[in-house]
């Protein structure tokens, strides 16, 4: 790690796509970083933090990568390509299409990801078709040399070409011969003369993206600014890496998080978990290569969801919710341990296999014979009892929802029955991990089986859970020490970790030992176990941390201040002195204003954290002319929603105009100076 970078510095977090310029009003591109770096230097900012810029295909979420290595072509500046000028001059149709593309983007709060992606892809293809590479279906010496340094490119090109062939559908829906073909088959396809031209298109795109990003990153460094990247912990199931390196992923499991107050069913992110055994056997080479690739551009990086390196919440692939997930690695409970605790075979079955009374379905059908026919499709009946067990062939609640009831009931009744059966399916105290090995359901105390246990059985069950929890935290710590130790030593970049909401003591210990900067969101940094949940004093933030006012998944300080009054009021009371410096007192703090924004940013500047990195939007609140009418439109992402809104934030002005706002830059500079001497 480059320790010289660890001095009190203030920075800005921004999605690259938000940095629109007069040259490209559609979306921020790699070269825009050059202009932005100059703006930051004028404002006294010393860090630029980007969201991931990897290829995500048709998905606007930067955390839904199709490749751990490939950059997103949407950020390529077309006019900066060495091939652009000749095509623009010689091809009237291209010129018309390109000019139309630039003129058709009004200054709005969000950009149209899909439209821009389609247009830029079309333009890039036309430029490529006119190139020597396409004409000869052969790589130039320049491209050949670059590909030799980036061996991942061959699998990526074959994969992207197949994605195009299958109209961007997931590889799991492709023909059998195209699913997980293996290294030998991928190499054979790469060397195919018939497909070479198409494959080289994607290689050419990556070369040009690399050139533009490298050049921009170098300009950022010349301005004395640290460029910080973002490393998503997980890969999209529909990624080149999951397709070409299946041994590194557990395709039978999905990552997520267990149930909590805001998410009573937990969160199922849909991404496969890792096969750490295989990754360990390969000396974590894939992860190390990811970091080495990123280090071409970045001086620091953020490890997303760092808790996942300790333990991940693993959910069977056929589950819709996260309720039947388990921690991985997991300190399982054996059948023998359960029996020693006093649970016999029938009791164990009761705890881990949901029992369905026929009456639960009768309630919706009002016809016992129809109920029986429906249950026979999914369950097996106990002899001489109106009680059923789900068939072993069912692997998750998706199997219930996809079952065919063959018109036995109305569509509404069918949906109600499936919902009821899915609730039954999830209601269990024990989750079977493998043969004779179990884990307690995260919400086992809400399950029907648990509620029927007597007090002695509950005491024994709880005692067993407590003993497992104590031993598995040691297992999590050991895994994280091994993985994070290997990764942080592989590159010189400064490592940062997203550890929000984590209460495991071992996480803080390992991050400290590996010199990984923790994350503190000032509005959430509270001592929640104490009465009144006081804010953690800024002087008590650990030095090896990053303080921030907001994150990409949260509201901005504007929306927070106006919509979470109790939290805002508590923050005001905890920082009255700084608010008073900005002429804001008890009677007039309620309404958000540029003065309130400045007070919040100045309060955060008092953090002992070595770095303060705030979203661009929160800095722009210092000048009211940059505010949008609806502060919700200034958010990056609203978790739990899949929409065209998410991840498409753009600045309310061009970078060129921002560079001219001396008053705003001066205000930001004074805030940065405050943290520098804090």
């Amino acid at each position: 790690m480059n320790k010289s970078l660890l001095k009190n510095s203030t920075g800005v977090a921004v999605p690259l796509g938000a940095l629109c310029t007069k040259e490209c009003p559609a979306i921020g591109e790699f070269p825009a970083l050059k202009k932005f770096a100059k703006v930051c230097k004028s404002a006294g900012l010393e860090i630029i933090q980007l969201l991931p810029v990897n290829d995500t295909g048709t998905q606007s979420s930067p955390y839904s990568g199709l490749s751990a290595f490939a950059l997103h072509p949407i950020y390529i500046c077309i006019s900066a390509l060495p091939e652009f000028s000749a095509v623009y001059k010689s091809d009237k149709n291209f010129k018309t299409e390109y000019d139309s593309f630039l003129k058709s983007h009004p200054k709005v709060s969000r950009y149209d990801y899909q439209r821009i992606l389609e247009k830029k892809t079309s333009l890039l293809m036309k430029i490529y078709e006119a190139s020597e590479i396409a004409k000869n279906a052969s790589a130039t010496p320049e491209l050949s040399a670059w590909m030799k340094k980036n061996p991942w490119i061959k699998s990526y090109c074959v994969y992207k070409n197949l994605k195009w062939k299958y109209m961007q559908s997931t590889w799991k829906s492709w023909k059998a011969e195209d699913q997980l073909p293996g290294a030998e088959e991928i190499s054979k396809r790469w060397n195919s003369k018939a497909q070479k031209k198409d494959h080289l298109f994607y290689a050419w795109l990556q070369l040009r993206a690399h050139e533009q990003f490298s050049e921009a990153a170098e300009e950022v460094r010349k301005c004395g600014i640290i460029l910080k990247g973002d490393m998503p912990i997980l890969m999209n199931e529909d990624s080149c890496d999951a397709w070409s390196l299946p041994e590194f992923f557990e395709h039978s499991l999905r990552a997520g998080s267990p149930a909590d107050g805001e998410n009573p069913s937990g969160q199922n992110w849909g991404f496969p978990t890792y096969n750490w055994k295989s990754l360990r056997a390969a000396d974590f080479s894939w992860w190390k290569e990811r970091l080495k690739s990123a280090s071409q551009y970045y001086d620091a990086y953020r490890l997303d969801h760092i808790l996942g390196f300790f333990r991940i919440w693993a959910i069977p692939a056929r589950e819709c919710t996260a309720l039947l997930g388990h921690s991985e690695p997991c300190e399982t409970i054996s059948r023998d341990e359960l029996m020693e605790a006093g649970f016999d075979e029938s009791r164990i079955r009761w705890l881990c296999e949901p029992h369905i009374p026929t009456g639960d379905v009768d309630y919706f059908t009002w016809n016992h014979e129809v109920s029986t026919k429906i249950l026979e499709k999914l369950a097996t009946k106990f002899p001489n009892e109106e009680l059923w067990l789900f068939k072993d062939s069912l692997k998750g609640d998706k199997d219930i929802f996809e079952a065919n009831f063959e018109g036995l009931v109305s569509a509404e009744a069918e949906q109600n029955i499936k919902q009821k059966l899915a609730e039954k399916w999830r209601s269990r105290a024990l989750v079977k991990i493998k043969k004779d090995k179990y884990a307690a359901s995260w919400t086992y105390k809400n399950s029907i089986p648990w509620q029927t246990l007597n007090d002695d059985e509950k005491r024994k069950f709880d005692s067993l859970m407590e003993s497992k929890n104590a031993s598995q935290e040691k297992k999590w710590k050991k895994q994280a020490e091994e993985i994070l130790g290997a990764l942080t030593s592989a590159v010189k970049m400064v490592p940062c970790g997203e550890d929000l909401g984590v209460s495991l003591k071992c996480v803080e210990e390992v991050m400290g030992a590996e010199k990984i900067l923790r994350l503190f969101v000032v509005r959430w940094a509270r001592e929640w176990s104490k009465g009144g949940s006081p804010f953690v004093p800024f002087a008590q933030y650990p030095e090896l941390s990053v303080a921030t006012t907001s994150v990409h998944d949260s509201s901005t300080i504007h929306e927070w201040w106006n919509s979470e009054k109790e939290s805002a009021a508590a923050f005001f009371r905890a920082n009255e002195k700084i608010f008073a410096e900005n002429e804001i007192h008890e009677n007039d703090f309620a309404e958000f204003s540029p003065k309130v924004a400045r007070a919040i940013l100045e309060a955060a500047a008092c953090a002992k954290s070595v770095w303060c990195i705030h979203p661009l939007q929160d800095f722009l609140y210092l000048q009211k002319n940059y505010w949008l009418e609806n502060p919700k439109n200034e958010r990056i992402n609203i978790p739990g929603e899949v929409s065209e809104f998410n991840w498409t934030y753009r600045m309310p002005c061009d970078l060129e105009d921002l560079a001219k706002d001396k008053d705003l830059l001066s205000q930001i500079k004074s805030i940065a100076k405050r943290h520098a001497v804090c």
Side-chain angles (χ1 to χ4, degrees), residues 34 212-225 227 296-297:
K34 300 177 192 177
Q212 291 190 4
F213 195 18
S214 295
E215 184 180 320
E218 186 57 32
E219 284 296 313
V220 172
R221 290 191 187 95
K222 286 180 180 178
C223 287
I225 294 172
L227 189 60
Q296 297 175 94
Y297 319 109

Side-chain angles (χ1 to χ4, degrees), residues 55-61 66 72 113-114 117 163 167-168:
D55 185 5
T56 59
T58 59
Q59 301 294 316
S60 61
S61 169
L66 293 188
H72 205 318
Y113 177 86
Q114 294 297 339
L117 179 63
K163 285 284 283 182
M167 300 179 69
Q168 307 303 326

Side-chain angles (χ1 to χ4, degrees), residues 639-670:
E641 290 187 11
V642 178
S643 66
E644 294 179 357
F645 173 91
N646 280 348
W647 311 108
T648 57
Y649 167 78
R650 55 160 290 160
M651 289 171 54
C653 64
D654 296 323
L655 274 178
E656 292 87 349
D657 293 333
L658 188 66
K660 297 174 185 176
D661 194 331
K662 303 303 180 186
D663 182 51
L664 173 66
L665 301 183
S666 176
Q667 288 194 65
I668 296 173
K669 195 169 190 175
S670 69

Side-chain angles (χ1 to χ4, degrees), residues 42 56 90 183 261 298 316 334 374 402 485 503 536 547 552 569 581 646:
S42 298
T56 59
S90 63
Y298 303 116
S334 70
I374 288 172
E402 292 174 8
S503 58
V536 176
H552 59 257
E581 288 176 15
N646 280 348

Side-chain angles (χ1 to χ4, degrees), residues 437-665:
K437 298 289 184 181
Y438 307 89
S441 164
W442 186 266
T443 55
Y444 71 85
K445 292 192 176 182
N446 296 331
S447 69
I448 292 172
W450 168 263
Q451 293 164 8
T452 65
L453 299 183
N454 61 45
D455 290 343
D456 185 51
E457 287 175 315
K458 289 180 178 179
R459 181 184 58 77
K460 290 176 178 177
F461 192 95
D462 280 337
S463 178
L464 196 54
M465 297 309 108
E466 288 171 10
S467 67
K468 294 297 178 180
N469 289 337
S471 58
Q472 76 179 358
E473 188 164 338
K474 294 178 182 177
K475 183 179 287 189
W476 298 340
K477 182 179 181 182
K478 182 180 178 181
Q479 172 172 288
E481 286 174 334
E482 181 184 14
I483 298 170
L484 293 173
L487 301 191
T488 55
S489 62
V491 290
K492 292 183 179 180
M493 293 187 293
V494 176
C496 306
E498 185 275 291
D499 60 332
L500 298 177
V502 176
S503 58
L504 293 177
K505 187 179 179 182
C506 66
V507 174
E508 183 178 344
E509 291 173 351
V510 174
M511 290 181 72
E514 297 299 332
K515 302 293 187 290
I516 301 172
L517 276 61
R518 299 177 62 200
L519 180 62
F520 283 75
V521 182
V522 298
R523 72 180 83 164
W524 297 334
R526 303 178 71 165
E527 299 177 84
W528 297 103
S529 60
K530 293 184 179 180
S533 302
F535 282 87
V536 176
F538 287 113
Q540 292 180 20
Y541 281 28
E543 185 177 355
L544 286 181
S545 68
V546 177
T548 186
T549 49
S550 311
V551 293
H552 59 257
D553 280 339
S554 77
S555 57
T556 61
I557 55 173
H558 185 182
E559 190 178 5
W560 164 59
W561 196 264
N562 284 347
S563 63
E564 298 180 45
K565 295 295 187 183
E566 186 177 334
S567 174
F571 186 85
F572 170 81
R573 289 192 293 271
N575 298 279
E576 279 192 83
K577 183 179 178 181
I578 287 178
F579 278 91
E581 288 176 15
N582 287 275
E583 301 176 345
I584 302 167
H585 303 283
E586 185 72 41
N587 295 328
D588 56 7
F589 86 94
E591 276 302 312
F592 189 76
S593 66
K595 286 183 179 180
V596 169
R598 183 175 180 112
I600 295 170
L601 290 163
E602 288 186 348
C606 296
K608 191 179 177 183
S609 306
V610 66
W611 288 349
C612 281
I613 305 175
H614 310 303
L616 176 64
Q617 302 93 303
D618 288 356
F619 279 122
L620 294 180
Y621 289 135
L622 294 169
Q623 294 277 35
K624 200 159 187 177
N625 55 295
Y626 296 117
W627 294 19
L628 298 182
E629 185 176 348
N630 183 355
K632 181 181 177 180
N633 289 332
E634 292 159 327
R635 291 187 64 146
I636 304 288
N637 178 52
I638 301 175
E641 290 187 11
V642 178
S643 66
E644 294 179 357
F645 173 91
N646 280 348
W647 311 108
T648 57
Y649 167 78
R650 55 160 290 160
M651 289 171 54
C653 64
D654 296 323
L655 274 178
E656 292 87 349
D657 293 333
L658 188 66
K660 297 174 185 176
D661 194 331
K662 303 303 180 186
D663 182 51
L664 173 66
L665 301 183

